[in-house]
Amino acid sequence: TLTVTSANHWVTAWLGLELNMISILPVIAKQKHPRSTEAATKYFLTQATASALMLFASTINAWQTGSWNIMQLNNKLSCILMIAALTMKMGAAPAHFWLPEVMQGTTLATALLITTWQKIAPITLLYMISNHIEPIITLSIGLLSILVGGWGGFNQTQLRKMMAYSSIAHLGWTMTIISITPNIALTNIIIYMIMSTPFFMLLMTTASKTLQTMTTTWTHTPTTTIILMLLLLSMAGLPPLTGFTPKLLILDSLVTHKLTLTAATMALLSLLSLTFYLRTTYLLTSTAPPTTAQSTTTWRLKPHQNQITALLTPIALFNITILPALLT
């Protein structure tokens, strides 16, 4: 990832992405289970295809313009191919089909890695070529991703698949704005990572993999349940939680650039995501568990996870980004 983020040459960036992909394959296939092997194979095939497409796009650009520099992607065809390759790398719609399957086949820790760290390299490359991108392409990919991310999350009982669709929807918000104001796109993806990390870590600690097992957390630890509820609402983008800020900035920027209809469509499509976030929140907090624990010490947080969760949860919940505006 660091090789990609510090690269100037397309081949260096490609090499970094290949190293990154080869390194994560054993992590995905760590469990001795056919499903994790299948997930690793799916991940490998999609990422290898995207890498080949990326190398093809950069070669066409070098052939036409004589430059391998990442910032000088002047050829229109190679720019479109590059966007397609990076979209596939990240798992944004319409090349999103691998993401829920791969996440379902891995552990929660690896799923967290795929939804956060693995997005950094492609997003960096998109950020670097953002001035050459046709806004209509990224707007279309973004709108489709928000729609797919909202619709796919419906009727999901597996938390990893639900979070995969949530990731697709958040990528949609990032993609719509990356060719217009790339800095807001970066803010959006960073805030998404800050929100999803404590959520996944709490799921790991409570060993919750489905909505059904999630409902029993209240018996063991009411505090965790409340934090999970707030993190879900923050991801849904409800004010005054942190998740609302990037959405507000994106919509504001779109309206400023005379894209009011797009902004309205995005706001309406995000209601799809809100539906399954609210359903999960309702299951967590408003349904009484059938059993009550006899012991008061049934459950304890692991110390190392506790520190990271404790650090990221306040940032994910309290709207620090608009704090200066509130104070003045």
Side-chain angles (χ1 to χ4, degrees):
T1 306
L2 295 174
T3 308
V4 178
T5 50
S6 58
N8 281 320
H9 196 285
W10 275 117
V11 177
T12 321
W14 172 80
L15 186 72
L17 284 167
E18 286 293 290
L19 285 170
N20 179 310
M21 185 251 297
I22 292 163
S23 310
I24 203 172
L25 287 176
V27 180
I28 297 172
K30 190 177 67 159
Q31 291 171 291
K32 303 288 185 286
H33 194 278
R35 188 173 281 171
S36 57
T37 315
E38 185 191 333
T41 312
K42 282 178 178 170
Y43 187 82
F44 169 72
L45 290 172
T46 47
Q47 297 295 320
T49 311
S51 289
L53 194 58
M54 183 183 154
L55 201 58
F56 179 53
S58 53
T59 309
I60 289 177
N61 186 62
W63 179 41
Q64 293 291 329
T65 62
S67 168
W68 282 97
N69 195 316
I70 293 177
M71 310 292 269
Q72 292 172 4
L73 194 72
N74 299 323
N75 185 281
K76 219 166 195 177
L77 173 65
S78 55
C79 192
I80 293 165
L81 286 171
M82 189 61 72
I83 294 164
L86 294 173
T87 303
M88 200 170 178
K89 279 258 174 219
M90 289 187 297
H96 66 281
F97 294 98
W98 62 272
L99 187 62
E101 299 296 322
V102 169
M103 278 180 68
Q104 188 53 36
T106 60
T107 58
L108 281 164
T110 316
L112 168 64
L113 203 64
I114 292 167
T115 47
T116 54
W117 187 263
Q118 293 302 96
K119 302 268 187 282
I120 295 172
I123 288 279
T124 310
L125 289 174
L126 267 175
Y127 181 80
M128 286 166 86
I129 63 165
S130 56
N131 18 338
H132 300 293
I133 298 173
E134 286 284 333
I136 187 73
I137 300 170
T138 47
L139 284 170
S140 310
I141 292 170
L143 282 169
L144 189 62
S145 295
I146 297 167
L147 178 66
V148 166
W151 226 321
F154 268 64
N155 299 334
Q156 288 295 346
T157 53
Q158 296 286 341
L159 288 171
R160 281 166 296 182
K161 272 196 172 177
M162 196 183 87
M163 288 308 291
Y165 283 111
S166 158
S167 169
I168 293 164
H170 277 90
L171 276 175
W173 283 85
T174 307
M175 287 298 282
T176 41
I177 202 69
I178 201 149
S179 58
I180 300 163
T181 31
N183 290 350
I184 295 176
L186 279 192
T187 310
N188 183 48
I189 206 78
I190 290 164
I191 287 177
Y192 167 68
M193 288 173 188
I194 288 168
M195 289 186 296
S196 58
T197 305
F199 184 79
F200 268 106
M201 289 200 143
L202 288 172
L203 291 185
M204 277 186 260
T205 329
T206 54
S208 306
K209 289 194 176 92
T210 60
L211 289 177
Q212 194 179 358
T213 49
M214 208 178 178
T215 52
T216 56
T217 52
W218 182 264
T219 323
H220 298 304
T221 167
T223 320
T224 303
T225 316
I226 291 163
I227 292 170
L228 280 170
M229 177 197 80
L230 289 168
L231 284 169
L232 277 165
L233 293 176
S234 185
M235 275 190 264
L238 294 181
L241 303 165
T242 308
F244 171 67
T245 312
K247 288 193 164 128
L248 180 69
L249 290 170
I250 289 168
L251 294 178
D252 177 55
S253 182
L254 286 170
V255 172
T256 312
H257 287 83
K258 306 275 191 296
L259 293 163
T260 316
L261 190 63
T262 313
T265 314
M266 284 168 68
L268 288 170
L269 288 177
S270 68
L271 293 176
L272 289 168
S273 300
L274 181 64
T275 310
F276 68 79
Y277 286 127
L278 283 179
R279 186 192 59 182
T280 316
T281 309
Y282 171 74
L283 278 172
L284 257 178
T285 51
S286 304
T287 51
T291 52
T292 51
Q294 301 301 316
S295 166
T296 51
T297 55
T298 50
W299 191 89
R300 284 281 178 269
L301 275 167
K302 294 186 184 74
H304 67 284
Q305 286 186 353
N306 200 356
Q307 289 164 1
I308 302 167
T309 315
L311 177 73
L312 290 177
T313 307
I315 306 171
L317 295 184
F318 308 118
N319 218 334
I320 295 164
T321 39
I322 61 162
L323 205 61
L326 293 173
L327 292 171
T328 50

